[in-house]
Amino acid sequence: MRLKTSTLFAAVALAAASGLAAAQTIKIGIMTTYSGPGAAQGDQLDKGFKLYLKLNGSKLPPGVKVEPIFRDDTGANPDAAKRLAQELIVREKVQFLTGFVWTPNAMAIAPLTAEAKVPYISANAAGVSLPRISPYVARVSFTLWQSSYPLGQWAAKKFKRAYTVVSDFAPGHEAEEAFTKGFKDGGGEIVGSARTPMTATDFIPYMQRVKDAKPEAIFAFNPAGKQATAQMKAYADLDLHKAGIKYIGTGDITTDEELQNMGDAALGVITVHHYSAAADRPANKAFVAAYKKEYGEKLNPGFMAVGAWDAMDLIFHVIREQKGKIDPDRTMQLIKNYKNPNSPRGPIQIDPDTRDIMQNEYLREVRKVGGQLANVELETVATQYKDPWKEFNKPK
Amino acid sequence: MTHAGGYVADSRIRAIEWLPWVLAVICFFAAPTYVPLGSYVLTMIIFALSLDLILGYGGIITLGHSAYFGAGAYAAGIFAARVTGEPLLGLLVGTLAAGLLGLITGLIILRTRGLALLMLTLAITSLCLEVANKATDWTGGADGLGGFKVQPILGLFKFDFLGKTAYLYCLVVLFLCWWLVRRLVYSPFGASLTGVRENNVRMHAVGAPVYQRLVISYTISAAMAGLGGALLTQTTQFVGLKVLGFELSGELMVMLILGGVGRIYGAFVGPLAYLVAQDYLAKQFPEYWYFGIGAMLVLVVMFARGGILGIIDALIARVRSRPS
């Protein structure tokens, strides 16, 4: 009898244990921006994540489920983001962190990921030194050096004098630095530079200053969203195009979801970036079609939606590889070897040394395709390109 | 009214006044995962207390109190980054910096009243925000100031990841602030402040040094706001531009109105109710939570002018007046 009871007990315990293993739920903390002036960018991340979960949410080992937990950081608000991330880790016990539109927020939470051993995959925040803060940070988005430096090199062959206008926060400073280096090393001259407030909505004064300096090109970076449209409108309103000043920059200034609002002023604008909704790769065509089916025919996915999509793909890959039993160090090992030949933006992989993304950078021009404005890819200026800043600034 | 202060009320600590402290300690043990939120609530209570002192008791209407909170936060952050991460010294530096700013600005703006004063408080916040935004070498600008280490308190209590030390640290500092505000409010000084709020002209007529009283209370309030800011810096080990933002001032005033203006415990109840509601709503509806906050405020303004404590007062009055 005694034996029987204990056998029964063991059987129940075993059943309970396997039951637990069978119904494993992995929580993913997703920080994005739903309120404030940055809500347009946050919306892109939100749509990218939700589309991936809807289409691929079931592609997991049997019994493993994923539960996304969304939080609103209300914009570039590092202390709020830090508190929210801490709560996600402590209270919700998330095993991954992702999302983050804003570099300042990402920089603030990065130390937490090391303390708590929670891997964080940046779906957008592009501050170049971010992965160096913690060994549990990886990035699938981009750095400003990846686009601005080759653009500077390209521009030096076309123009002699350029003016830079960037947003006044870390990614803006990096875009300015990278473009300036590429442009000057190629023999160009920077005739002036301006930094606009992060929340600027009026770009007329800055564009007037550019016009007065009479450069051949203006290099711009802003955090995409509505600001990209506002800056494009200022460029058009002051007739900079007619004054012979070419508008060039990172893909943020002609981001696909905003492009239709910019009007014909955007025609001919040259950018270097890793993603265009108009690219004709099969993976991208499928992605854009799925996106339009879900969110409406008129909406184009921007690079942030792709960042979110790829971040989720990476997390799903890591969960599959570990069959749902997540170990943070093993996770980081797997992330370092992550490769995806079929991202909507083309082949991507994580650089194992820096945990940063390697991807193709395309030179694009805004043209009309089928009556719609589109970032048409002209050539691939860099293939499987590592972040050049980290090449110039190796850790000592 | 019960919140007249000064000589009118009995200044001894009533039994019920120990209730918040007992609850705070119970929360610490009962809900360990809510401790980081708890630290933030305690910090905001300190900030709300400081506003209550000038708005509720002194009648100074300001929408720029975050200038002092932010000054304290940045002073403590810069001190930790450049000099030493000793937390108690950091608190002192934050408090003094904000108090000094309060004294200087108070001397200028308290000569005005009403709308002019309101505009000036806004202007001061905007100025401070712009300074912090531009002085990137010191403040980090829009990227914020981080990467500094805060040493263990008294060399003994390390700030842990779960935020337990931070919570108790905030609780002790809040207790000291509460004790100070209570002493002030129930002193002749507090009575004269209430007098200024209720009838400024008459206070002049009886020969009370109105301007001097206002400047002193404003300085104390600014210093206390700075203390709150320094506390936030140390517990989050980060300072962002939002601490100087106009939104924070507005949010703070909303919290105070929600709790009940002009009474010490309004500053306790308001931030608690607001931040817990915000936490709950943001969790349930991450996309639409501002709507819930807005609806809550409309309801309070329409039906409960005295805030949550006003509702409780009314309920107690109704129970007492019922014939038994």
Side-chain angles (χ1 to χ4, degrees):
Chain A
M1 189 64 198
R2 198 191 189 103
L3 186 78
K4 242 184 186 170
T5 328
S6 64
T7 327
L8 197 70
F9 186 74
V12 169
L14 204 70
S18 63
L20 271 178
Q24 190 148 18
T25 302
I26 293 161
K27 291 184 176 180
I28 304 175
I30 300 176
M31 191 84 71
T32 162
T33 305
Y34 291 109
S35 50
Q41 288 94 317
D43 181 56
Q44 284 282 304
L45 286 188
D46 182 72
K47 285 192 160 77
F49 284 126
K50 286 185 178 155
L51 184 65
Y52 189 93
L53 289 170
K54 183 167 182 193
L55 298 180
N56 300 308
S58 57
K59 292 180 185 165
L60 286 169
V64 179
K65 271 199 324 202
V66 155
E67 182 189 342
I69 301 176
F70 291 90
R71 286 288 182 274
D72 177 14
D73 61 14
T74 71
N77 193 358
D79 30 340
K82 189 163 180 181
R83 202 174 52 252
L84 288 170
Q86 202 169 1
E87 283 167 11
L88 281 171
I89 294 168
V90 173
R91 213 192 292 167
E92 306 291 347
K93 303 199 167 39
V94 298
Q95 287 173 292
F96 294 93
L97 277 174
T98 185
F100 290 92
V101 176
W102 306 101
T103 294
N105 298 4
M107 293 282 192
I109 68 110
L112 291 181
T113 66
E115 267 180 273
K117 292 196 169 189
V118 174
Y120 153 50
I121 295 98
S122 171
N124 187 61
V128 73
S129 60
L130 180 60
R132 284 204 181 155
I133 300 179
S134 152
Y136 293 92
V137 174
R139 171 157 49 205
V140 296
S141 53
F142 59 99
T143 71
L144 272 311
W145 273 83
Q146 280 182 320
S147 52
S148 307
Y149 182 63
L151 178 62
Q153 291 174 316
W154 175 85
K157 292 177 208 148
K158 302 265 172 190
F159 313 108
K160 286 278 155 292
R161 295 152 48 81
Y163 201 113
T164 64
V165 179
V166 299
S167 280
D168 193 4
F169 74 130
H173 303 166
E174 287 158 12
E176 181 190 286
E177 198 189 343
F179 177 81
T180 303
K181 181 165 171 57
F183 193 62
K184 274 189 171 171
D185 288 357
E189 182 202 353
I190 301 288
V191 293
S193 54
R195 289 178 174 183
T196 60
M198 250 190 106
T199 49
T201 48
D202 179 13
F203 290 88
I204 294 278
Y206 304 100
M207 290 307 201
Q208 185 61 51
R209 243 185 278 168
V210 174
K211 198 177 179 185
D212 296 343
K214 297 192 175 62
E216 290 167 63
I218 162 178
F219 167 80
F221 163 79
N222 52 46
K226 302 290 171 205
Q227 284 197 38
T229 308
Q231 191 164 3
M232 186 66 78
K233 291 223 146 86
Y235 172 78
D237 288 349
L238 289 178
D239 284 332
L240 262 65
H241 178 63
K242 282 183 199 141
I245 302 168
K246 189 87 174 162
Y247 194 35
I248 61 175
T250 64
D252 306 76
I253 66 170
T254 59
T255 180
D256 292 291
E257 81 276 13
E258 284 288 323
L259 194 55
Q260 305 312 324
N261 304 334
M262 294 181 187
D264 288 350
L267 282 171
V269 172
I270 297 272
T271 51
V272 168
H273 216 225
H274 57 272
Y275 178 72
S276 161
D280 51 11
R281 286 175 291 278
N284 185 51
K285 289 209 149 157
F287 172 70
V288 173
Y291 193 89
K292 290 192 170 206
K293 189 172 169 234
E294 182 71 21
Y295 301 116
E297 201 48 45
K298 290 211 167 120
L299 273 185
N300 275 316
F303 63 91
M304 292 191 201
V306 177
W309 173 276
D310 284 332
M312 210 34 99
D313 187 69
L314 182 148
I315 290 174
F316 268 61
H317 167 78
V318 167
I319 293 173
R320 274 195 297 268
E321 287 292 309
Q322 296 181 89
K323 303 199 169 50
K325 293 204 169 37
I326 307 300
D327 170 71
D329 293 304
R330 174 98 181 97
T331 297
M332 292 316 295
Q333 221 38 50
L334 287 166
I335 288 177
K336 283 178 195 171
N337 295 314
Y338 173 76
K339 276 194 180 86
N340 180 4
N342 283 317
S343 163
R345 60 180 111 163
I348 57 170
Q349 66 185 88
I350 300 291
D351 176 11
D353 298 329
T354 62
R355 284 165 277 112
D356 226 320
I357 183 100
M358 290 162 66
Q359 59 194 343
N360 295 351
E361 291 288 335
Y362 309 96
L363 181 75
R364 308 106 45 94
E365 182 176 11
V366 178
R367 291 181 185 168
K368 272 224 166 113
V369 178
Q372 288 226 316
L373 295 173
N375 286 303
V376 177
E377 292 177 357
L378 304 178
E379 58 176 295
T380 307
V381 287
T383 309
Q384 290 303 287
Y385 192 42
K386 286 188 187 188
D387 170 42
W389 181 83
K390 292 190 189 67
E391 302 289 305
F392 292 131
N393 301 277
K394 294 250 188 233
K396 281 158 200 135
Chain B
M1 290 304 281
T2 48
H3 55 274
Y7 298 131
V8 187
D10 184 357
S11 70
R12 276 173 302 181
I13 298 176
R14 283 163 293 157
I16 191 156
E17 293 186 66
W18 294 106
L19 182 67
W21 309 106
V22 175
L23 286 179
V25 174
I26 291 177
C27 284
F28 178 74
F29 290 106
T33 57
Y34 283 80
V35 159
L37 177 69
S39 309
Y40 186 59
V41 172
L42 294 174
T43 311
M44 289 311 282
I45 292 176
I46 294 175
F47 192 19
L49 263 181
S50 78
L51 180 67
D52 205 16
L53 194 62
I54 54 168
L55 175 70
Y57 291 94
I60 302 170
I61 298 178
T62 165
L63 272 174
H65 216 45
S66 57
Y68 310 106
F69 187 77
Y74 272 108
I78 293 168
F79 183 74
R82 306 247 165 174
V83 188
T84 162
E86 159 58 36
L88 297 181
L89 272 178
L91 279 191
L92 187 68
V93 168
T95 311
L96 290 179
L100 188 66
L101 183 68
L103 177 64
I104 296 167
T105 52
L107 281 171
I108 301 164
I109 66 172
L110 290 172
R111 295 176 181 279
T112 62
R113 284 191 76 80
L115 272 181
L117 178 59
L118 193 72
M119 301 300 286
L120 284 174
T121 58
L122 268 177
I124 285 170
T125 311
S126 307
L127 281 176
C128 291
L129 179 65
E130 208 41 44
V131 168
N133 187 23
K134 286 294 169 194
T136 39
D137 288 347
W138 290 84
T139 62
D143 299 310
L145 178 65
F148 52 82
K149 285 268 177 289
V150 181
Q151 290 165 9
I153 303 161
L154 301 171
L156 295 173
F157 307 103
K158 202 170 161 296
F159 283 97
D160 54 330
F161 174 70
L162 297 173
K164 298 203 162 177
T165 310
Y167 182 86
L168 295 175
Y169 183 47
C170 291
L171 193 60
V172 170
V173 176
L174 173 61
F175 187 82
L176 297 175
C177 290
W178 166 79
W179 184 79
L180 178 76
V181 169
R182 228 182 153 281
R183 284 298 297 262
L184 271 179
V185 166
Y186 287 110
S187 71
F189 177 79
S192 69
L193 276 185
T194 310
V196 174
R197 182 192 71 198
E198 292 299 324
N199 196 334
N200 187 19
V201 179
R202 190 155 176 196
M203 288 303 279
H204 277 292
V206 299
V210 172
Y211 173 64
Q212 180 224 50
R213 288 289 150 93
L214 285 177
V215 171
I216 293 174
S217 68
Y218 197 74
T219 307
I220 295 173
S221 166
M224 194 182 288
L227 178 63
L231 211 51
L232 184 70
T233 297
Q234 293 180 352
T235 51
T236 59
Q237 311 211 346
F238 200 91
V239 199
L241 278 183
K242 292 264 163 151
V243 293
L244 280 168
F246 156 71
E247 293 93 344
L248 182 64
S249 297
E251 213 178 27
L252 178 73
M253 190 177 263
V254 165
M255 287 183 206
L256 193 57
I257 292 170
L258 186 65
V261 183
R263 39 203 305 171
I264 293 177
Y265 297 100
F268 279 68
V269 174
L272 180 69
Y274 182 88
L275 294 169
V276 169
Q278 178 180 318
D279 183 71
Y280 175 78
L281 289 170
K283 197 172 168 182
Q284 298 301 318
F285 318 101
E287 292 158 58
Y288 313 109
W289 61 279
Y290 262 120
F291 181 81
I293 296 281
M296 186 171 80
L297 284 178
V298 171
L299 289 178
V300 167
V301 172
M302 280 176 68
F303 300 112
R305 289 286 173 84
I308 293 171
L309 287 187
I311 300 176
I312 295 173
D313 276 349
L315 287 178
I316 291 174
R318 188 174 287 182
V319 170
R320 286 211 177 131
S321 66
R322 190 179 288 170
S324 50

